[in-house]
Amino acid sequence: MDVIVKKNVDYIICSKCDLLMELSCSFVGEQASCPRCQSVLVSNWFEPHKRHNIYAATAMFLLVLSNLFPFINIKLAGISNQILLNQIPYIIMDDGFTILAAFFMLVIQFIPLYCIIIILLLVNPIKIPFQLKLLLARSLFHLRHWIMVEIFMISIFISLFKLTNYGDINLQPSFCPWCLFCILQLRLFQCVDRRWLWESIKPIPNLIQTPITGISGLIQGLRCCPCCTAIVSVYQDKCLRCGIISSARYEYSLQYTLALLMTSLIFYIPANFMPVMITEIFGLEYPANIIEGIILLWNESYYVIAILIFTFSIVIPILKFLSIGWLCWHASGYGNNKCKTMHLLYKVIKFIGRWSMIDVFVILILSSLLKIGKLMNIYPTSGLILFALVVIFTMMAEMNFDPRLIWDRNNIKSRN
Ligand SMILES: [Zn+2]
Ligand SMILES: [Zn+2]
């Protein structure tokens, strides 16, 4: 029979580097970080229930407001065109790109709204069947990576700079609520502490052995549950708290990462040469790919926007391919780079990877607004779907990479 030694809640295993530590974050407003990889482990917020309720309810209200009123208006040669935020996916669908419209709706409206509702349901004493509660909490932490509201906000500002070249731009009543919604939802998700939320759903199970701090969990047969952060045995597939089935390391992590990276690379080559949008002026069509679009911006003296698009659409994807490949190489046991350096690289990729979606959103905004009869129209093309797929597949590659593999090399060295 197993002997219960110490409460699991006093200990934590870093989900990024596998270091086992005793938790010392007990004061309100304090944040505990991993001493080895500097990842944030827990945050003790002042009155978290109130904080979550205020942020979530206000963000939801602002999201509704931003959909009720006109968003942006453009006036070109006496003709005016005005759009609502929720009209953008319909316009994309009319152009024949239902997949792009669905993706847009998902990452800009549905997933953020779904996650906000889940937070409200979980932090308040609402009677929900326990199994459903577990399911909702699990989906929250999976889906929040796909929220791209802040990327869309920056895309709007870039589009506005470009649109001033075509006509007079007027920001409409729902623009301000939308910007406030972006800021609030960012703050809300920053305040949701995974460990605290799971603790409020179900208490953490007790440990079955005395953990040794300052060394890897794997060495002592323990692992961190990727969903609820509970410490479980490496021989136990199912977490006793959240019920998720996982293993000590993501299964076939390097194989999946490389396969997704290769798929992304296959899409990246045609995505750069195929047109991503067509500009129609007085019935004449001018297709442009990403590089041509950047050259056009540069020639029109939009140097900052040209540099931004070049960085996010060309430089970052290439750096991401090389960096993920390098991480896989290091994690396979090759190379002599320091684990800290490789972990920093992983963090940078994780942070900047999604931002390559800026160009996709800019084109979708331009094509939604610039529909001025026979005068001027902008349409997305299938090249844009390929480019969006490049970003999605590299994001999936990065998500499938297990950063603990970087640090596992230390365990092998210390054993030798
Ligand atoms: Zn760590
Ligand atoms: Zn769990």
Side-chain angles (χ1 to χ4, degrees), residues 301-342:
S301 305
Y302 290 105
Y303 302 120
V304 178
I305 303 176
I307 292 168
L308 274 176
I309 300 275
F310 177 74
T311 308
F312 285 116
S313 306
I314 309 285
V315 179
I316 289 182
I318 292 174
L319 283 180
K320 224 178 151 180
F321 292 136
L322 295 173
S323 306
I324 297 176
W326 190 15
L327 282 173
C328 289
W329 171 264
H330 178 89
S332 308
Y334 301 101
N336 288 314
N337 303 90
K338 283 184 178 171
C339 297
K340 273 192 177 174
T341 315
M342 298 313 283

mmCIF file of all heavy atoms in Angstrom, residues 301-342:
data_model
loop_
_atom_site.group_PDB
_atom_site.id
_atom_site.type_symbol
_atom_site.label_atom_id
_atom_site.label_comp_id
_atom_site.label_asym_id
_atom_site.label_seq_id
_atom_site.Cartn_x
_atom_site.Cartn_y
_atom_site.Cartn_z
ATOM 1 N N SER A 301 6.606 54.815 -49.840
ATOM 2 C CA SER A 301 7.245 55.477 -48.672
ATOM 3 C C SER A 301 6.673 55.038 -47.324
ATOM 4 O O SER A 301 6.850 55.734 -46.327
ATOM 5 C CB SER A 301 7.181 57.002 -48.782
ATOM 6 O OG SER A 301 7.734 57.413 -49.978
ATOM 7 N N TYR A 302 5.983 53.881 -47.279
ATOM 8 C CA TYR A 302 5.536 53.349 -45.978
ATOM 9 C C TYR A 302 6.648 52.442 -45.447
ATOM 10 O O TYR A 302 6.496 51.217 -45.373
ATOM 11 C CB TYR A 302 4.230 52.568 -46.129
ATOM 12 C CG TYR A 302 3.032 53.432 -46.450
ATOM 13 C CD1 TYR A 302 2.500 53.457 -47.728
ATOM 14 C CD2 TYR A 302 2.441 54.213 -45.460
ATOM 15 C CE1 TYR A 302 1.405 54.256 -48.030
ATOM 16 C CE2 TYR A 302 1.351 55.013 -45.749
ATOM 17 C CZ TYR A 302 0.845 55.027 -47.026
ATOM 18 O OH TYR A 302 -0.230 55.818 -47.318
ATOM 19 N N TYR A 303 7.764 53.068 -45.088
ATOM 20 C CA TYR A 303 8.953 52.298 -44.732
ATOM 21 C C TYR A 303 8.738 51.431 -43.486
ATOM 22 O O TYR A 303 9.124 50.271 -43.452
ATOM 23 C CB TYR A 303 10.150 53.227 -44.524
ATOM 24 C CG TYR A 303 10.469 54.061 -45.748
ATOM 25 C CD1 TYR A 303 10.432 55.456 -45.688
ATOM 26 C CD2 TYR A 303 10.794 53.457 -46.961
ATOM 27 C CE1 TYR A 303 10.699 56.219 -46.808
ATOM 28 C CE2 TYR A 303 11.072 54.219 -48.091
ATOM 29 C CZ TYR A 303 11.017 55.602 -48.008
ATOM 30 O OH TYR A 303 11.271 56.347 -49.119
ATOM 31 N N VAL A 304 8.119 52.036 -42.446
ATOM 32 C CA VAL A 304 7.954 51.293 -41.186
ATOM 33 C C VAL A 304 7.058 50.068 -41.408
ATOM 34 O O VAL A 304 7.373 48.951 -40.962
ATOM 35 C CB VAL A 304 7.379 52.214 -40.078
ATOM 36 C CG1 VAL A 304 7.151 51.445 -38.784
ATOM 37 C CG2 VAL A 304 8.316 53.392 -39.833
ATOM 38 N N ILE A 305 5.914 50.281 -42.132
ATOM 39 C CA ILE A 305 4.991 49.148 -42.367
ATOM 40 C C ILE A 305 5.672 48.088 -43.235
ATOM 41 O O ILE A 305 5.538 46.886 -42.982
ATOM 42 C CB ILE A 305 3.679 49.632 -43.027
ATOM 43 C CG1 ILE A 305 3.022 50.702 -42.145
ATOM 44 C CG2 ILE A 305 2.717 48.478 -43.234
ATOM 45 C CD1 ILE A 305 1.793 51.314 -42.739
ATOM 46 N N ALA A 306 6.418 48.541 -44.255
ATOM 47 C CA ALA A 306 7.125 47.585 -45.128
ATOM 48 C C ALA A 306 8.103 46.746 -44.305
ATOM 49 O O ALA A 306 8.174 45.519 -44.469
ATOM 50 C CB ALA A 306 7.855 48.344 -46.226
ATOM 51 N N ILE A 307 8.833 47.408 -43.391
ATOM 52 C CA ILE A 307 9.800 46.674 -42.552
ATOM 53 C C ILE A 307 9.067 45.704 -41.626
ATOM 54 O O ILE A 307 9.477 44.552 -41.453
ATOM 55 C CB ILE A 307 10.703 47.662 -41.757
ATOM 56 C CG1 ILE A 307 11.622 48.408 -42.720
ATOM 57 C CG2 ILE A 307 11.529 46.937 -40.697
ATOM 58 C CD1 ILE A 307 12.351 49.595 -42.131
ATOM 59 N N LEU A 308 7.925 46.168 -41.057
ATOM 60 C CA LEU A 308 7.140 45.305 -40.150
ATOM 61 C C LEU A 308 6.633 44.061 -40.873
ATOM 62 O O LEU A 308 6.788 42.928 -40.399
ATOM 63 C CB LEU A 308 5.944 46.080 -39.590
ATOM 64 C CG LEU A 308 6.170 46.923 -38.334
ATOM 65 C CD1 LEU A 308 4.909 47.687 -37.970
ATOM 66 C CD2 LEU A 308 6.566 46.017 -37.170
ATOM 67 N N ILE A 309 6.021 44.270 -42.060
ATOM 68 C CA ILE A 309 5.473 43.124 -42.821
ATOM 69 C C ILE A 309 6.605 42.188 -43.247
ATOM 70 O O ILE A 309 6.481 40.964 -43.167
ATOM 71 C CB ILE A 309 4.679 43.621 -44.069
ATOM 72 C CG1 ILE A 309 3.517 44.530 -43.640
ATOM 73 C CG2 ILE A 309 4.192 42.458 -44.926
ATOM 74 C CD1 ILE A 309 2.237 43.884 -43.243
ATOM 75 N N PHE A 310 7.744 42.794 -43.672
ATOM 76 C CA PHE A 310 8.897 41.979 -44.082
ATOM 77 C C PHE A 310 9.379 41.123 -42.896
ATOM 78 O O PHE A 310 9.641 39.938 -43.040
ATOM 79 C CB PHE A 310 10.014 42.902 -44.582
ATOM 80 C CG PHE A 310 11.271 42.168 -44.971
ATOM 81 C CD1 PHE A 310 11.320 41.425 -46.147
ATOM 82 C CD2 PHE A 310 12.401 42.204 -44.162
ATOM 83 C CE1 PHE A 310 12.459 40.725 -46.501
ATOM 84 C CE2 PHE A 310 13.550 41.506 -44.510
ATOM 85 C CZ PHE A 310 13.585 40.762 -45.688
ATOM 86 N N THR A 311 9.436 41.759 -41.718
ATOM 87 C CA THR A 311 9.911 41.034 -40.535
ATOM 88 C C THR A 311 8.961 39.899 -40.177
ATOM 89 O O THR A 311 9.386 38.762 -39.983
ATOM 90 C CB THR A 311 10.026 42.018 -39.336
ATOM 91 O OG1 THR A 311 10.783 43.127 -39.753
ATOM 92 C CG2 THR A 311 10.688 41.371 -38.139
ATOM 93 N N PHE A 312 7.653 40.208 -40.095
ATOM 94 C CA PHE A 312 6.692 39.200 -39.634
ATOM 95 C C PHE A 312 6.395 38.126 -40.681
ATOM 96 O O PHE A 312 6.114 36.990 -40.334
ATOM 97 C CB PHE A 312 5.388 39.867 -39.187
ATOM 98 C CG PHE A 312 5.530 40.560 -37.851
ATOM 99 C CD1 PHE A 312 5.385 41.930 -37.734
ATOM 100 C CD2 PHE A 312 5.826 39.839 -36.713
ATOM 101 C CE1 PHE A 312 5.533 42.579 -36.506
ATOM 102 C CE2 PHE A 312 5.976 40.455 -35.482
ATOM 103 C CZ PHE A 312 5.830 41.821 -35.381
ATOM 104 N N SER A 313 6.432 38.509 -41.980
ATOM 105 C CA SER A 313 6.029 37.543 -43.011
ATOM 106 C C SER A 313 7.194 36.763 -43.608
ATOM 107 O O SER A 313 7.007 35.651 -44.073
ATOM 108 C CB SER A 313 5.282 38.252 -44.146
ATOM 109 O OG SER A 313 4.223 38.988 -43.615
ATOM 110 N N ILE A 314 8.375 37.367 -43.648
ATOM 111 C CA ILE A 314 9.516 36.693 -44.284
ATOM 112 C C ILE A 314 10.552 36.252 -43.247
ATOM 113 O O ILE A 314 10.907 35.077 -43.159
ATOM 114 C CB ILE A 314 10.200 37.617 -45.347
ATOM 115 C CG1 ILE A 314 9.165 38.184 -46.328
ATOM 116 C CG2 ILE A 314 11.342 36.904 -46.045
ATOM 117 C CD1 ILE A 314 8.630 37.235 -47.373
ATOM 118 N N VAL A 315 11.026 37.231 -42.445
ATOM 119 C CA VAL A 315 12.141 36.939 -41.521
ATOM 120 C C VAL A 315 11.716 35.955 -40.421
ATOM 121 O O VAL A 315 12.382 34.936 -40.207
ATOM 122 C CB VAL A 315 12.696 38.255 -40.896
ATOM 123 C CG1 VAL A 315 13.827 37.951 -39.926
ATOM 124 C CG2 VAL A 315 13.157 39.202 -41.983
ATOM 125 N N ILE A 316 10.589 36.262 -39.748
ATOM 126 C CA ILE A 316 10.181 35.407 -38.609
ATOM 127 C C ILE A 316 9.899 33.964 -39.042
ATOM 128 O O ILE A 316 10.400 33.038 -38.404
ATOM 129 C CB ILE A 316 9.010 36.050 -37.828
ATOM 130 C CG1 ILE A 316 9.548 37.265 -37.063
ATOM 131 C CG2 ILE A 316 8.363 35.054 -36.857
ATOM 132 C CD1 ILE A 316 8.551 38.000 -36.213
ATOM 133 N N PRO A 317 9.119 33.711 -40.133
ATOM 134 C CA PRO A 317 8.924 32.297 -40.509
ATOM 135 C C PRO A 317 10.232 31.558 -40.781
ATOM 136 O O PRO A 317 10.404 30.431 -40.334
ATOM 137 C CB PRO A 317 8.051 32.377 -41.775
ATOM 138 C CG PRO A 317 7.334 33.671 -41.649
ATOM 139 C CD PRO A 317 8.280 34.599 -40.960
ATOM 140 N N ILE A 318 11.191 32.243 -41.481
ATOM 141 C CA ILE A 318 12.474 31.577 -41.779
ATOM 142 C C ILE A 318 13.223 31.291 -40.473
ATOM 143 O O ILE A 318 13.733 30.187 -40.253
ATOM 144 C CB ILE A 318 13.336 32.430 -42.741
ATOM 145 C CG1 ILE A 318 12.661 32.481 -44.119
ATOM 146 C CG2 ILE A 318 14.756 31.872 -42.868
ATOM 147 C CD1 ILE A 318 13.308 33.379 -45.130
ATOM 148 N N LEU A 319 13.266 32.309 -39.589
ATOM 149 C CA LEU A 319 13.956 32.120 -38.302
ATOM 150 C C LEU A 319 13.298 30.996 -37.504
ATOM 151 O O LEU A 319 13.958 30.235 -36.807
ATOM 152 C CB LEU A 319 13.936 33.417 -37.489
ATOM 153 C CG LEU A 319 14.934 34.499 -37.928
ATOM 154 C CD1 LEU A 319 14.801 35.727 -37.049
ATOM 155 C CD2 LEU A 319 16.368 33.977 -37.873
ATOM 156 N N LYS A 320 11.967 30.920 -37.623
ATOM 157 C CA LYS A 320 11.230 29.894 -36.886
ATOM 158 C C LYS A 320 11.572 28.485 -37.399
ATOM 159 O O LYS A 320 11.783 27.566 -36.605
ATOM 160 C CB LYS A 320 9.723 30.156 -37.018
ATOM 161 C CG LYS A 320 9.021 29.999 -35.701
ATOM 162 C CD LYS A 320 7.570 30.298 -35.801
ATOM 163 C CE LYS A 320 6.864 29.475 -34.751
ATOM 164 N NZ LYS A 320 5.449 29.656 -34.722
ATOM 165 N N PHE A 321 11.643 28.343 -38.748
ATOM 166 C CA PHE A 321 12.016 27.033 -39.310
ATOM 167 C C PHE A 321 13.384 26.608 -38.782
ATOM 168 O O PHE A 321 13.572 25.489 -38.315
ATOM 169 C CB PHE A 321 12.105 27.101 -40.846
ATOM 170 C CG PHE A 321 10.781 27.320 -41.522
ATOM 171 C CD1 PHE A 321 10.659 28.231 -42.563
ATOM 172 C CD2 PHE A 321 9.650 26.622 -41.127
ATOM 173 C CE1 PHE A 321 9.446 28.437 -43.187
ATOM 174 C CE2 PHE A 321 8.444 26.824 -41.754
ATOM 175 C CZ PHE A 321 8.334 27.739 -42.779
ATOM 176 N N LEU A 322 14.343 27.561 -38.886
ATOM 177 C CA LEU A 322 15.716 27.245 -38.479
ATOM 178 C C LEU A 322 15.790 26.955 -36.978
ATOM 179 O O LEU A 322 16.431 25.998 -36.548
ATOM 180 C CB LEU A 322 16.656 28.414 -38.834
ATOM 181 C CG LEU A 322 16.819 28.704 -40.328
ATOM 182 C CD1 LEU A 322 17.623 29.970 -40.556
ATOM 183 C CD2 LEU A 322 17.487 27.530 -41.042
ATOM 184 N N SER A 323 15.080 27.789 -36.175
ATOM 185 C CA SER A 323 15.177 27.648 -34.715
ATOM 186 C C SER A 323 14.547 26.347 -34.231
ATOM 187 O O SER A 323 15.118 25.659 -33.382
ATOM 188 C CB SER A 323 14.493 28.827 -34.022
ATOM 189 O OG SER A 323 15.005 30.016 -34.502
ATOM 190 N N ILE A 324 13.349 26.002 -34.777
ATOM 191 C CA ILE A 324 12.699 24.756 -34.332
ATOM 192 C C ILE A 324 13.555 23.558 -34.741
ATOM 193 O O ILE A 324 13.739 22.612 -33.974
ATOM 194 C CB ILE A 324 11.248 24.652 -34.860
ATOM 195 C CG1 ILE A 324 10.390 25.790 -34.282
ATOM 196 C CG2 ILE A 324 10.626 23.299 -34.489
ATOM 197 C CD1 ILE A 324 8.969 25.866 -34.796
ATOM 198 N N GLY A 325 14.119 23.630 -35.969
ATOM 199 C CA GLY A 325 15.012 22.559 -36.428
ATOM 200 C C GLY A 325 16.206 22.421 -35.499
ATOM 201 O O GLY A 325 16.604 21.310 -35.129
ATOM 202 N N TRP A 326 16.762 23.566 -35.078
ATOM 203 C CA TRP A 326 17.928 23.585 -34.193
ATOM 204 C C TRP A 326 17.566 23.012 -32.815
ATOM 205 O O TRP A 326 18.314 22.222 -32.239
ATOM 206 C CB TRP A 326 18.436 25.030 -34.078
ATOM 207 C CG TRP A 326 19.767 25.165 -33.399
ATOM 208 C CD1 TRP A 326 20.678 24.183 -33.141
ATOM 209 C CD2 TRP A 326 20.342 26.375 -32.895
ATOM 210 N NE1 TRP A 326 21.779 24.699 -32.497
ATOM 211 C CE2 TRP A 326 21.606 26.049 -32.333
ATOM 212 C CE3 TRP A 326 19.932 27.714 -32.862
ATOM 213 C CZ2 TRP A 326 22.433 26.996 -31.751
ATOM 214 C CZ3 TRP A 326 20.767 28.660 -32.283
ATOM 215 C CH2 TRP A 326 21.996 28.305 -31.735
ATOM 216 N N LEU A 327 16.379 23.382 -32.316
ATOM 217 C CA LEU A 327 15.924 22.860 -31.014
ATOM 218 C C LEU A 327 15.791 21.338 -31.064
ATOM 219 O O LEU A 327 16.190 20.631 -30.140
ATOM 220 C CB LEU A 327 14.569 23.479 -30.639
ATOM 221 C CG LEU A 327 14.592 24.915 -30.093
ATOM 222 C CD1 LEU A 327 13.176 25.442 -29.927
ATOM 223 C CD2 LEU A 327 15.320 24.982 -28.758
ATOM 224 N N CYS A 328 15.220 20.831 -32.174
ATOM 225 C CA CYS A 328 15.041 19.376 -32.316
ATOM 226 C C CYS A 328 16.405 18.688 -32.363
ATOM 227 O O CYS A 328 16.594 17.618 -31.778
ATOM 228 C CB CYS A 328 14.250 19.047 -33.589
ATOM 229 S SG CYS A 328 12.527 19.515 -33.470
ATOM 230 N N TRP A 329 17.339 19.327 -33.076
ATOM 231 C CA TRP A 329 18.709 18.802 -33.185
ATOM 232 C C TRP A 329 19.334 18.708 -31.795
ATOM 233 O O TRP A 329 19.920 17.698 -31.415
ATOM 234 C CB TRP A 329 19.499 19.745 -34.107
ATOM 235 C CG TRP A 329 20.973 19.510 -34.188
ATOM 236 C CD1 TRP A 329 21.954 20.151 -33.475
ATOM 237 C CD2 TRP A 329 21.666 18.592 -35.042
ATOM 238 N NE1 TRP A 329 23.188 19.694 -33.830
ATOM 239 C CE2 TRP A 329 23.056 18.730 -34.789
ATOM 240 C CE3 TRP A 329 21.258 17.667 -35.994
ATOM 241 C CZ2 TRP A 329 24.017 17.985 -35.449
ATOM 242 C CZ3 TRP A 329 22.216 16.917 -36.657
ATOM 243 C CH2 TRP A 329 23.569 17.072 -36.386
ATOM 244 N N HIS A 330 19.202 19.794 -31.023
ATOM 245 C CA HIS A 330 19.767 19.845 -29.666
ATOM 246 C C HIS A 330 19.105 18.794 -28.767
ATOM 247 O O HIS A 330 19.782 18.064 -28.040
ATOM 248 C CB HIS A 330 19.559 21.244 -29.080
ATOM 249 C CG HIS A 330 20.058 21.391 -27.675
ATOM 250 N ND1 HIS A 330 21.346 21.768 -27.376
ATOM 251 C CD2 HIS A 330 19.438 21.186 -26.490
ATOM 252 C CE1 HIS A 330 21.498 21.791 -26.069
ATOM 253 N NE2 HIS A 330 20.365 21.450 -25.498
ATOM 254 N N ALA A 331 17.749 18.724 -28.851
ATOM 255 C CA ALA A 331 17.000 17.798 -27.992
ATOM 256 C C ALA A 331 17.305 16.336 -28.339
ATOM 257 O O ALA A 331 17.134 15.450 -27.502
ATOM 258 C CB ALA A 331 15.509 18.072 -28.113
ATOM 259 N N SER A 332 17.759 16.099 -29.595
ATOM 260 C CA SER A 332 18.096 14.719 -29.991
ATOM 261 C C SER A 332 19.447 14.288 -29.437
ATOM 262 O O SER A 332 19.873 13.152 -29.639
ATOM 263 C CB SER A 332 18.134 14.584 -31.509
ATOM 264 O OG SER A 332 16.973 15.077 -32.054
ATOM 265 N N GLY A 333 20.175 15.241 -28.812
ATOM 266 C CA GLY A 333 21.458 14.873 -28.196
ATOM 267 C C GLY A 333 22.652 15.387 -28.962
ATOM 268 O O GLY A 333 23.796 15.128 -28.603
ATOM 269 N N TYR A 334 22.425 16.147 -30.070
ATOM 270 C CA TYR A 334 23.541 16.688 -30.844
ATOM 271 C C TYR A 334 23.820 18.121 -30.399
ATOM 272 O O TYR A 334 23.018 18.740 -29.726
ATOM 273 C CB TYR A 334 23.210 16.661 -32.340
ATOM 274 C CG TYR A 334 22.911 15.278 -32.853
ATOM 275 C CD1 TYR A 334 21.593 14.869 -33.049
ATOM 276 C CD2 TYR A 334 23.942 14.388 -33.141
ATOM 277 C CE1 TYR A 334 21.302 13.604 -33.509
ATOM 278 C CE2 TYR A 334 23.652 13.112 -33.607
ATOM 279 C CZ TYR A 334 22.339 12.724 -33.788
ATOM 280 O OH TYR A 334 22.054 11.475 -34.241
ATOM 281 N N GLY A 335 24.948 18.653 -30.822
ATOM 282 C CA GLY A 335 25.277 20.054 -30.520
ATOM 283 C C GLY A 335 25.717 20.216 -29.077
ATOM 284 O O GLY A 335 25.421 19.386 -28.220
ATOM 285 N N ASN A 336 26.415 21.334 -28.821
ATOM 286 C CA ASN A 336 26.952 21.560 -27.469
ATOM 287 C C ASN A 336 26.461 22.871 -26.872
ATOM 288 O O ASN A 336 27.137 23.458 -26.038
ATOM 289 C CB ASN A 336 28.491 21.557 -27.512
ATOM 290 C CG ASN A 336 29.011 20.151 -27.750
ATOM 291 O OD1 ASN A 336 28.562 19.196 -27.113
ATOM 292 N ND2 ASN A 336 29.910 20.018 -28.702
ATOM 293 N N ASN A 337 25.306 23.324 -27.321
ATOM 294 C CA ASN A 337 24.823 24.609 -26.808
ATOM 295 C C ASN A 337 24.304 24.462 -25.387
ATOM 296 O O ASN A 337 23.841 23.400 -24.995
ATOM 297 C CB ASN A 337 23.697 25.127 -27.704
ATOM 298 C CG ASN A 337 24.144 25.254 -29.126
ATOM 299 O OD1 ASN A 337 24.023 24.319 -29.888
ATOM 300 N ND2 ASN A 337 24.710 26.370 -29.443
ATOM 301 N N LYS A 338 24.382 25.585 -24.651
ATOM 302 C CA LYS A 338 23.905 25.564 -23.276
ATOM 303 C C LYS A 338 22.393 25.430 -23.264
ATOM 304 O O LYS A 338 21.702 26.006 -24.104
ATOM 305 C CB LYS A 338 24.308 26.867 -22.582
ATOM 306 C CG LYS A 338 25.757 26.897 -22.174
ATOM 307 C CD LYS A 338 26.043 28.165 -21.406
ATOM 308 C CE LYS A 338 27.501 28.161 -20.949
ATOM 309 N NZ LYS A 338 27.880 29.440 -20.389
ATOM 310 N N CYS A 339 21.871 24.689 -22.266
ATOM 311 C CA CYS A 339 20.423 24.482 -22.166
ATOM 312 C C CYS A 339 19.697 25.811 -21.996
ATOM 313 O O CYS A 339 18.621 26.015 -22.559
ATOM 314 C CB CYS A 339 20.098 23.564 -20.992
ATOM 315 S SG CYS A 339 20.806 21.944 -21.209
ATOM 316 N N LYS A 340 20.299 26.748 -21.248
ATOM 317 C CA LYS A 340 19.663 28.044 -21.008
ATOM 318 C C LYS A 340 19.497 28.815 -22.316
ATOM 319 O O LYS A 340 18.475 29.445 -22.543
ATOM 320 C CB LYS A 340 20.494 28.873 -20.014
ATOM 321 C CG LYS A 340 20.140 28.572 -18.574
ATOM 322 C CD LYS A 340 20.723 29.572 -17.631
ATOM 323 C CE LYS A 340 20.250 29.233 -16.210
ATOM 324 N NZ LYS A 340 20.853 30.051 -15.206
ATOM 325 N N THR A 341 20.505 28.746 -23.174
ATOM 326 C CA THR A 341 20.449 29.441 -24.461
ATOM 327 C C THR A 341 19.336 28.845 -25.321
ATOM 328 O O THR A 341 18.549 29.557 -25.930
ATOM 329 C CB THR A 341 21.809 29.298 -25.201
ATOM 330 O OG1 THR A 341 22.846 29.541 -24.281
ATOM 331 C CG2 THR A 341 21.908 30.213 -26.376
ATOM 332 N N MET A 342 19.272 27.505 -25.339
ATOM 333 C CA MET A 342 18.258 26.841 -26.159
ATOM 334 C C MET A 342 16.858 27.115 -25.614
ATOM 335 O O MET A 342 15.906 27.275 -26.375
ATOM 336 C CB MET A 342 18.518 25.317 -26.213
ATOM 337 C CG MET A 342 19.830 24.922 -26.839
ATOM 338 S SD MET A 342 20.195 25.751 -28.403
ATOM 339 C CE MET A 342 19.162 24.880 -29.542
#
